[in-house]
Amino acid sequence: MEGLRGEPTIKPPYPAESGYMGKPTNVNNVETFAAIPVIILKGAKWFSSIGTEKAKGTKVFALAGKINNVGLIEVPMGTTLREVIFEIGGGIRNGKKFKGVQTGGPSGGCLSEKHLDTPIDFDNLISAGSMMGSGAMIVLDEDDCMVSMAKFFLEFTVEESCGKCAPCRIGNKRLHELLGQICEGKGSLDDLDRLKNMSLVIKDTALCGLGQTSPNPVLSMMENYRDEYIAHVTDKKCPAGQCRSLMEYVVNPENCVGCTACARVCPVNAITGERKEIHLINPAICIKCGACMEKCKFDAIFIR
Amino acid sequence: MSHIKIELRKEDVDFIKGVCDSFNKDPQELINVLHACQEHFGYLPAEVQEVVSEHLEVPVAKIYGVVTFYSFFTMTPKGKNPISICLGTACYVRGAEKVLDEFKKELGIQVGQTTKDNKFSLSSLRCVGACGLAPVVLVGDKTYGRVAPDDVKNILKEYE
Amino acid sequence: METIKLTIDNKEIEVPKGTTIYKAAKELGIDIPTLCYMDLHDLNIENKPGGCRICVAEVQGKKNLAPTCSTNCEQGMVVKTHTTRVMNARRTVMEFILSDHPKDCLICAKSGNCDLQDMSHRLGIREIPGAEFAEMSTYRKDTSPSIIRELDKCIMCRRCETMCNDVQTVGALSAVNRGFMSTVAPAFEQNLEYSTCTYCGQCVAVCPTGALTEVNHIPQVLRALADPTKTVVVQTAPAVRAALGEEFGLAPGTLVTGKMTAALRALGFDYVFDTDFAADLTIMEEGTELLDRLSRHLKGDKTAKIPILTSCCPGWVNFFEHYFPDLKDVPSTAKSPQQMFGAIAKSYFAEKIGINRKDMVVVSIMPCLAKKYECQRDEFSVDGNPDVDYSISTRELASFIKQANIDIKTLHDEEFDAPLGESTGAAVIFGATGGVIEAACRTAYELYTGKKLERLEFTELRGMEGVRSAIIDFDGLPLNIGIAHGLGNARKLLDDVRSGKSLFHAIEVMACPGGCIGGGGQPLHHGNSEIIKARATAIYTEDRKKPIRKSHENPFIIKLYNEYLGKPGSEKSHHLLHTHYFDKQKKVIIKK
Ligand code: SF4
Ligand code: SF4
Ligand code: SF4
Ligand code: SF4
Ligand code: SF4
Ligand code: SF4
Ligand code: FES
């Protein structure tokens, strides 16, 4: 804003003391400002009558992901996640199973089934390993891989990092790389410990809010979905069937009618088989693009 | 890399000067000045940054630092018809690289560049999620599937 | 003054308000490791971006670890600097930093003198987990006439950026790009050569890694020495003798003039001369020019430009050619001592010993990186043969001496060769800020007044203050003297000259903070400005030890004028000892 690179400065001094052009600066997001006129109009008492003891008022969430009703919602503080997702959100799309909900955007954390009945307010979300943050809520279902999701969020941080401090500039890159290794089946149990240590140190040492929260998805997902991480590193399997390197496309001989549609669509000619005979996928050639599965009208191709 | 010559048309220099003046030549307004220049020129070539540097009295290295910090500033002009070629694995093995080479040859530019007449710019991207159609080429919003090197000339013709 | 009480590692301490945890700990004898932080206290230069996060410590009640270099002490704070949490964080962050750093120590110019290497050793890093698949941020290597940039080794401490922008106000370097690919570079990531860089070398002097180093000319010098057909002549600048010893473990401020001379002879140089001789020559030419302009000015001659600016610092010359080309007829036209020496060596001295200038190789030992560029300037060569062939830094000389297996500490003092080795105390003080103008005053006073100068030491011209001024009484004529060291300070004085507000008659400018003793080619101070002060003291000690302390009394200078040049400012002097300047400001070319 002052004609400089948008790097954070060392705090303190906090913006309220010395910020924009050295003057005290009020840094609030639009939502906070939006709340002010209402409070003035209707009085603080009214405002505090909504919500919980510690968090007054309402909160707007952007509900998205694998959910039937997506969009902006405004709920009183203290509403539970279950109410938000299953009542307002209308439940999970296509009747799939609820797996988790990422709150607070890429810096937030992923809450699992066991947090569904937690009333939403600032403190509760933080103690559950997430945060209110941007107010985004992305609902994940059984098809979402929690290693890939963490990697996906890290991609965002790596791009957003300003580069000023070492833990965020380099650390997040390394987190992202290691998650990539795990997705490719090249991780070990040791790596999970490293992942956790790196995440904690980045949080503990980064200069600004971005780096201090960027490892949240990794930490919360590792905590709440540890089995899935272990499956990736010990069995080299991705339970959600998301990680390409850990998937194997196979033809189910019971369903295959030998229509050759898959063989024709395969970009690398990994599928062999005569017309009207059961087809076979050569895993050594297959690049796991999924084109055949999409093409097959008989649900004969599945991921193992 | 060699020395950058600052060669601009007079009206362009005057424009930049005008923008700087409208912000009272205040170095703190650098970002706004750059915005205005990018809006006008479509991008921020080195020459423009040099002239801004002269008028705002901000070292040009600092200006470049700001331009490369924010993703909304760009130093390369996009062509009228941006061409993107998918180099995801599926497209790659189906010969996307040959298609790309053909585009390079036909347009005489490299990836990340724009033709002299500003008609086309070339970029590559990772999987666009249409592997069944590999190799995939995007021109603006339009998608072309199963593109062979021989098709390149015809695709370009559509935009002549 | 308001004070603050706090506890660090269970020890209580009271510090003035505004003290950082790092400094408070230091007072308690706790040396918290730092990488990016740098405090050149005596020169008023500080770099604290809070970027490396190596200096973190635990502060009770705070959620995250605090960077001690940039966190101020607060009342009742309880700080722990080496808990397991802190140590683990420090190690992990160091592993991050090293995971994006080439492991090139074997052939790195900084090896053995590298803050990053030391820190890795100090923290006991033995492996970098995940290094096999860690992507590195890599950049194009850039070699300019003076400086090599290998940004693969950059750790983003931003010290160079601080020096180039805040201290020198050159602005050749800036942080560019973002995130993982961020680095420090000139505009458009062009070569330094195409920027406004002055080659002052201050970025190199503070870089904690091998990312910024000087161009190494030792191989060329070695080749020349090994060539029996070449007569190799060496000159050493005043500031070198006050710093070289540091590279051999001697205390900062130890003068090694005699040992250095012995070492140079042992290295095989045919003639070991002294740049100080040329410094005396500079005073003769510059002093004469000053008096000439001054007397014309006093007579009301409008063409006589006042103030006169010194021109012996090539970093400074580069600066005004880039930023103040409109004032390029204000500085003295006298060449720097390095170039005066080269010109005289390859004319007067070559004739004297009866060899062709092409068979003579002149090497200079300089505290300076700008001199590497200076000796490559076209105007300082005759038919493509440069007056000074190679300019090597104090650091390079130290390395060369070590390569030759010479133990400088056990060498006996030796004297410079004649005739270009004789010098006065006035020449010695060229090495410190204020020294050139003091030397000029000693000579100009006597030439102007015709009287003997009683008080030789103009202490009012000395010190480390960035901009200084003094009025020297020239027997009734009050001479206004200005002094600036560091280009940012020079800019302030130049702005006044440009706007006509300057009241000075003469201004001395040195590009490097502290003058040449703080030059870009000197042994690294590693952020300790006491070292620079110690070197200044050494220089003034050497001056006091000299039997002759006024340039115009140097018998060999008198002889040179009698035998060869005529008098200061003569045609021959002008031809050999003076130069002209160029307008290097970038120009907008209007396209038709
Ligand atoms: S945490 Fe990231 S975004 Fe924040 S200062 Fe450090 S590098 Fe920049
Ligand atoms: S997943 Fe793709 S590459 Fe593999 S067999 Fe099916 S179509 Fe071929
Ligand atoms: S910069 Fe330092 S750590 Fe890096 S290679 Fe050179 S000596 Fe080694
Ligand atoms: S040598 Fe001096 S002017 Fe050049 S980049 Fe370094 S600090 Fe800046
Ligand atoms: S080049 Fe050297 S001084 Fe500059 S930021 Fe990099 S490591 Fe620091
Ligand atoms: S002050 Fe000395 S060391 Fe620094 S650039 Fe000038 S001449 Fe060189
Ligand atoms: S030394 Fe404190 S952050 Fe680098």
Side-chain angles (χ1 to χ4, degrees):
Chain A
M1 291 241 256
E2 296 177 28
L4 305 171
R5 291 159 57 85
E7 289 168 356
T9 44
I10 303 161
K11 300 181 190 77
Y14 288 97
E17 298 156 23
S18 165
Y20 182 65
M21 310 222 169
K23 297 196 186 77
T25 309
N26 200 342
V27 182
N28 278 320
N29 53 29
V30 181
E31 198 176 298
T32 314
F33 280 125
I36 294 170
V38 188
I39 298 173
I40 295 171
L41 276 176
K42 300 200 176 179
K45 212 160 171 197
W46 168 84
F47 190 74
S48 357
S49 70
I50 307 173
T52 65
E53 191 59 35
K54 274 192 251 155
K56 312 287 182 203
T58 62
K59 171 76 195 165
V60 176
F61 289 103
L63 204 54
K66 307 277 180 60
I67 196 162
N68 281 320
N69 309 329
V70 298
L72 286 175
I73 58 163
E74 182 169 359
V75 295
M77 291 283 184
T79 314
T80 65
L81 282 170
R82 190 184 296 283
E83 286 166 332
V84 170
I85 294 163
F86 290 95
E87 287 170 25
I88 306 171
I92 309 297
R93 262 220 305 256
N94 299 334
K96 298 258 182 180
K97 233 179 110 217
F98 168 82
K99 185 160 185 178
V101 55
Q102 172 81 13
T103 64
S107 323
C110 191
L111 304 179
S112 67
E113 203 157 353
K114 66 171 188 260
H115 300 108
L116 272 179
D117 294 313
T118 311
I120 307 168
D121 68 17
F122 292 98
D123 294 344
N124 282 346
L125 283 184
I126 285 171
S127 56
S130 181
M131 62 190 238
M132 195 77 83
S134 61
M137 276 199 185
I138 297 159
V139 179
L140 308 174
D141 71 11
E142 53 190 311
D143 289 344
D144 290 311
C145 160
M146 289 305 176
V147 185
S148 309
M149 279 319 285
K151 180 169 161 252
F152 174 77
F153 286 123
L154 250 301
E155 214 153 279
F156 169 85
T157 326
V158 168
E159 251 166 51
E160 285 308 306
S161 166
C162 80
K164 187 166 179 176
C165 77
C168 172
R169 177 180 75 240
I170 310 171
N172 281 320
K173 179 93 181 163
R174 300 299 174 237
L175 275 187
H176 182 255
E177 281 168 351
L178 189 50
L179 288 165
Q181 293 289 311
I182 295 173
C183 285
E184 283 181 27
K186 293 180 192 151
S188 65
L189 274 176
D190 232 21
D191 287 338
L192 296 188
D193 288 342
R194 267 186 60 218
L195 211 51
K196 187 165 171 190
N197 178 54
M198 288 201 283
S199 300
L200 290 173
V201 170
I202 295 170
K203 269 178 81 85
D204 217 4
T205 55
L207 197 160
C208 83
L210 185 87
Q212 287 161 10
T213 54
S214 59
N216 283 349
V218 185
L219 286 170
S220 66
M221 289 184 190
M222 268 218 293
E223 164 92 28
N224 293 332
Y225 307 92
R226 190 158 176 88
D227 293 349
E228 206 170 322
Y229 276 76
I230 290 179
H232 276 79
V233 295
T234 52
D235 314 337
K236 312 288 180 201
K237 285 273 174 256
C238 173
Q242 277 280 312
C243 296
R244 275 194 187 187
S245 307
L246 303 182
M247 309 196 265
E248 201 181 331
Y249 281 84
V250 279
V251 176
N252 179 353
E254 314 236 305
N255 286 8
C256 179
V257 297
C259 73
T260 75
C262 59
R264 274 179 284 135
V265 80
C266 175
V268 287
N269 298 328
I271 309 183
T272 50
E274 297 297 319
R275 178 169 280 279
K276 302 238 161 88
E277 278 172 25
I278 293 167
H279 281 51
L280 205 68
I281 298 176
N282 183 343
I285 303 177
C286 172
I287 56 159
K288 295 149 190 170
C289 73
C292 55
M293 191 158 104
E294 225 169 84
K295 199 82 188 172
C296 183
K297 291 198 197 86
F298 307 93
D299 277 343
I301 297 177
F302 67 102
I303 299 167
R304 189 161 58 198
Chain B
M1 199 185 270
S2 68
H3 205 341
I4 288 182
K5 257 208 219 136
I6 322 172
E7 238 185 307
L8 281 172
R9 290 176 309 163
K10 180 149 188 327
E11 57 260 44
D12 293 340
V13 176
D14 290 344
F15 173 83
I16 301 168
K17 229 163 134 180
V19 171
C20 296
D21 288 343
S22 74
F23 288 103
N24 290 326
K25 295 194 176 182
D26 183 354
Q28 299 200 329
E29 297 287 353
L30 174 62
I31 291 176
N32 290 327
V33 169
L34 291 175
H35 264 303
C37 289
Q38 176 153 307
E39 203 152 287
H40 179 79
F41 294 104
Y43 67 118
L44 292 170
E47 290 89 341
V48 171
Q49 296 180 40
E50 292 273 11
V51 178
V52 171
S53 155
E54 196 189 316
H55 289 291
L56 291 188
E57 290 187 34
V58 175
V60 64
K62 287 273 161 200
I63 297 185
Y64 178 76
V66 168
V67 168
T68 52
F69 186 85
Y70 295 104
S71 52
F72 45 76
F73 291 131
T74 168
M75 283 185 64
T76 40
K78 276 254 176 326
K80 237 193 356 251
N81 306 295
I83 303 173
S84 314
I85 292 150
C86 176
L87 288 183
T89 322
C91 290
Y92 188 83
V93 294
R94 274 264 170 118
E97 205 175 19
K98 291 209 183 74
V99 177
L100 176 62
D101 286 343
E102 192 63 25
F103 271 111
K104 286 189 197 163
K105 211 175 84 195
E106 281 298 316
L107 298 171
I109 55 171
Q110 295 296 315
V111 171
Q113 293 180 336
T114 304
T115 52
K116 280 223 172 63
D117 59 7
N118 269 336
K119 253 200 188 131
F120 298 102
S121 52
L122 204 54
S123 65
S124 65
L125 31 84
R126 279 181 300 161
C127 192
V128 291
C131 299
L133 292 176
V136 177
V137 170
L138 299 169
V139 181
D141 296 334
K142 200 168 164 194
T143 312
Y144 297 83
R146 297 187 203 281
V147 180
D150 290 345
D151 302 333
V152 168
K153 271 202 183 87
N154 288 330
I155 294 178
L156 290 177
K157 249 196 205 117
E158 288 180 36
Y159 300 89
E160 285 303 318
Chain C
M1 198 195 317
E2 204 180 325
T3 61
I4 278 170
K5 269 197 194 140
L6 71 161
T7 317
I8 305 176
D9 293 346
N10 299 323
K11 288 180 213 157
E12 277 188 23
I13 183 167
E14 193 166 346
V15 292
K17 195 177 176 197
T19 308
T20 60
I21 301 178
Y22 170 78
K23 281 188 181 156
K26 193 150 213 179
E27 271 183 40
L28 284 170
I30 303 165
D31 184 18
I32 301 175
T34 58
L35 257 187
C36 64
Y37 179 65
M38 178 182 72
D39 179 25
L40 290 172
H41 188 71
D42 303 288
L43 300 166
N44 219 350
I45 298 170
E46 200 178 29
N47 178 66
K48 55 174 184 191
C52 75
R53 317 307 273 185
I54 287 293
C55 67
V56 287
E58 216 172 300
V59 175
Q60 214 172 67
K62 281 208 180 181
K63 199 170 85 217
N64 296 333
L65 297 177
T68 54
C69 71
S70 43
T71 308
N72 283 349
C73 296
E74 282 164 30
Q75 204 62 261
M77 233 182 197
V78 179
V79 181
K80 296 236 156 73
T81 70
H82 53 74
T83 61
T84 47
R85 176 176 160 212
V86 169
M87 286 171 63
N88 178 55
R90 222 172 252 159
R91 165 177 290 265
T92 306
V93 171
M94 192 62 187
E95 286 169 358
F96 284 152
I97 294 173
L98 294 181
S99 74
D100 186 27
H101 189 90
K103 285 83 193 159
D104 278 354
C105 294
L106 270 180
I107 48 166
C108 180
K110 272 284 167 68
S111 188
N113 214 344
C114 171
D115 292 353
L116 185 66
Q117 194 183 47
D118 289 352
M119 188 58 64
S120 176
H121 184 68
R122 179 167 167 189
L123 299 182
I125 310 287
R126 287 291 173 275
E127 66 170 331
I128 296 143
E132 324 82 69
F133 57 84
E135 186 194 321
M136 301 242 230
S137 55
T138 57
Y139 313 88
R140 197 169 49 90
K141 182 172 165 177
D142 164 23
T143 305
S144 69
S146 296
I147 293 168
I148 301 176
R149 295 170 53 244
E150 270 181 274
L151 276 303
D152 292 5
K153 294 176 187 162
C154 171
I155 58 167
M156 281 306 270
C157 72
R158 316 283 282 266
R159 291 184 190 179
C160 56
E161 198 189 6
T162 299
M163 292 311 279
C164 194
N165 291 273
D166 303 347
V167 178
Q168 301 295 57
T169 65
V170 172
L173 297 175
S174 168
V176 303
N177 302 333
R178 70 181 295 147
F180 190 61
M181 286 310 287
S182 49
T183 189
V184 177
F188 320 120
E189 287 161 80
Q190 284 186 104
N191 293 349
L192 201 54
E193 207 178 332
Y194 304 124
S195 72
T196 51
C197 171
T198 65
Y199 301 124
C200 71
Q202 284 306 310
C203 51
V204 177
V206 298
C207 180
T209 72
L212 297 173
T213 52
E214 68 278 357
V215 175
N216 178 23
H217 282 117
I218 295 299
Q220 287 88 327
V221 172
L222 183 58
R223 224 171 292 141
L225 287 170
D227 184 344
T229 67
K230 301 283 187 209
T231 301
V232 189
V233 172
V234 67
Q235 53 163 325
T236 65
V240 177
R241 65 208 64 183
L244 181 67
E246 293 163 28
E247 291 277 352
F248 298 90
L250 298 172
T254 311
L255 279 168
V256 291
T257 320
K259 293 186 191 307
M260 173 184 71
T261 311
L264 288 168
R265 213 161 268 138
L267 281 170
F269 288 99
D270 297 302
Y271 294 94
V272 182
F273 289 144
D274 198 349
T275 314
D276 287 13
F277 174 83
D280 279 332
L281 199 53
T282 304
I283 289 302
M284 298 303 290
E285 294 296 327
E286 216 170 74
T288 308
E289 197 184 346
L290 165 70
L291 290 180
D292 172 57
R293 276 210 224 167
L294 191 64
S295 53
R296 274 166 47 218
H297 171 79
L298 292 174
K299 281 192 205 118
D301 181 349
K302 288 271 181 305
T303 61
K305 293 255 174 357
I306 287 291
I308 187 168
L309 308 174
T310 58
S311 57
C312 46
C313 164
W316 151 236
V317 168
N318 293 337
F319 183 72
F320 72 70
E321 285 184 331
H322 277 298
Y323 285 98
F324 295 88
D326 50 319
L327 301 180
K328 71 180 164 37
D329 53 352
V330 180
S332 159
T333 56
K335 286 181 186 174
S336 73
Q338 157 170 288
Q339 293 309 136
M340 284 201 182
F341 181 95
I344 293 297
K346 284 202 177 178
S347 58
Y348 171 74
F349 184 63
E351 282 167 36
K352 223 176 166 90
I353 58 171
I355 64 166
N356 188 307
R357 66 174 285 143
K358 294 218 150 64
D359 296 323
M360 180 185 276
V361 175
V362 173
V363 176
S364 66
I365 319 288
M366 294 285 145
C368 179
L369 301 188
K371 299 246 170 60
K372 282 181 187 283
Y373 165 78
E374 184 188 37
C375 73
Q376 295 174 40
R377 277 178 176 245
D378 286 343
E379 65 269 28
F380 296 145
S381 67
V382 175
D383 302 330
N385 178 268
D387 292 346
V388 174
D389 294 79
Y390 307 110
S391 179
I392 66 173
S393 64
T394 313
R395 289 193 296 272
E396 285 170 275
L397 174 63
S399 158
F400 197 25
I401 294 173
K402 288 174 193 163
Q403 287 165 40
N405 201 25
I406 295 168
D407 180 5
I408 198 166
K409 278 181 272 185
T410 60
L411 288 178
H412 291 293
D413 287 2
E414 291 181 17
E415 297 290 324
F416 287 109
D417 290 315
L420 310 185
E422 193 61 42
S423 70
T424 69
V428 175
I429 58 175
F430 259 60
T433 166
V436 177
I437 208 79
E438 180 172 344
C441 284
R442 288 182 194 174
T443 289
Y445 180 92
E446 295 200 352
L447 296 186
Y448 180 78
T449 63
K451 291 185 186 163
K452 191 170 152 46
L453 182 63
E454 296 303 333
R455 189 179 60 111
L456 274 180
E457 297 189 4
F458 293 95
T459 41
E460 60 270 47
L461 297 172
R462 302 179 182 180
M464 284 290 152
E465 199 61 28
V467 177
R468 306 191 296 282
S469 64
I471 296 171
I472 308 288
D473 177 22
F474 266 41
D475 204 23
L477 171 74
L479 210 61
N480 260 310
I481 307 282
I483 295 166
H485 58 128
L487 292 170
N489 294 321
R491 184 186 284 275
K492 290 179 202 152
L493 295 186
L494 262 264
D495 281 337
D496 283 352
V497 174
R498 187 181 259 166
S499 62
K501 274 196 295 195
S502 181
L503 298 173
F504 293 117
H505 295 108
I507 299 175
E508 176 203 291
V509 178
M510 286 291 170
C512 297
C516 297
I517 46 170
Q522 292 283 52
L524 300 173
H525 50 61
H526 295 283
N528 181 358
S529 51
E530 290 294 326
I531 293 180
I532 295 172
K533 281 205 295 190
R535 291 175 192 162
T537 311
I539 291 250
Y540 289 115
T541 310
E542 174 105 328
D543 168 35
R544 244 169 276 131
K545 284 198 298 201
K546 286 272 188 181
I548 308 174
R549 296 175 67 189
K550 288 171 278 186
S551 297
H552 56 288
E553 290 174 0
N554 182 336
F556 287 88
I557 290 283
I558 298 168
K559 193 163 163 225
L560 175 66
Y561 278 109
N562 286 341
E563 279 182 14
Y564 198 67
L565 294 170
K567 57 181 186 25
S570 71
E571 202 175 307
K572 189 143 197 173
S573 299
H574 257 282
H575 175 63
L576 286 172
L577 308 178
H578 290 256
T579 183
H580 52 283
Y581 306 111
F582 300 85
D583 178 351
K584 290 197 185 152
Q585 202 157 38
K586 274 191 228 161
K587 296 280 176 318
V588 181
I589 304 164
I590 298 296
K591 238 192 322 210
K592 297 276 146 46

